Amino acid sequence: ARPPLDIPADDPFIQLLQDCYESIHGRRPEAIIGIGASDGTYVRNATGMPIPDFGVDGRISQIGKPNENVALQDYLDFIKVYMLSAVKALG
């Protein structure tokens, strides 16, 4: 039982992540509302920082399963998105 992770889709950090994703993939990702919980909720509530669930693969049905996997190229591309996001956020 965790509180919801509530981040508005127009949050500047969410916009930054979407911009960086679009720079790498050529398309803008959709910000969605989903079920589940993460430790990001506690960070968000304690600091006010937006901590979205943002990762390599959107196949929610596969997350946490014994055979969880992602394509190598998807993993490498997400590293690019992550690094570009870090540079822009800290730049």
Side-chain angles (χ1 to χ4, degrees), residues 5-91:
L5 179 58
D6 185 20
I7 304 170
D10 63 351
D11 182 277
F13 187 65
I14 301 302
Q15 297 297 309
L16 180 134
L17 292 175
Q18 289 178 313
D19 291 346
C20 292
Y21 185 96
E22 185 175 19
S23 293
I24 302 301
H25 292 281
R27 60 184 165 76
R28 195 160 183 84
E30 181 182 358
I32 61 169
I33 297 171
I35 61 170
S38 75
D39 290 341
T41 299
Y42 299 115
V43 176
R44 169 78 171 168
N45 291 343
T47 67
M49 293 171 41
I51 308 292
D53 287 330
F54 184 64
V56 175
D57 191 16
R59 297 175 303 158
I60 299 300
S61 63
Q62 297 300 314
I63 293 175
K65 302 259 175 116
N67 293 324
E68 179 179 344
N69 63 72
V70 296
L72 180 59
Q73 190 59 54
D74 291 344
Y75 181 67
L76 296 174
D77 286 344
F78 189 75
I79 291 170
K80 293 175 190 176
V81 173
Y82 184 85
M83 293 307 298
L84 182 58
S85 300
V87 167
K88 286 189 173 199
L90 299 174

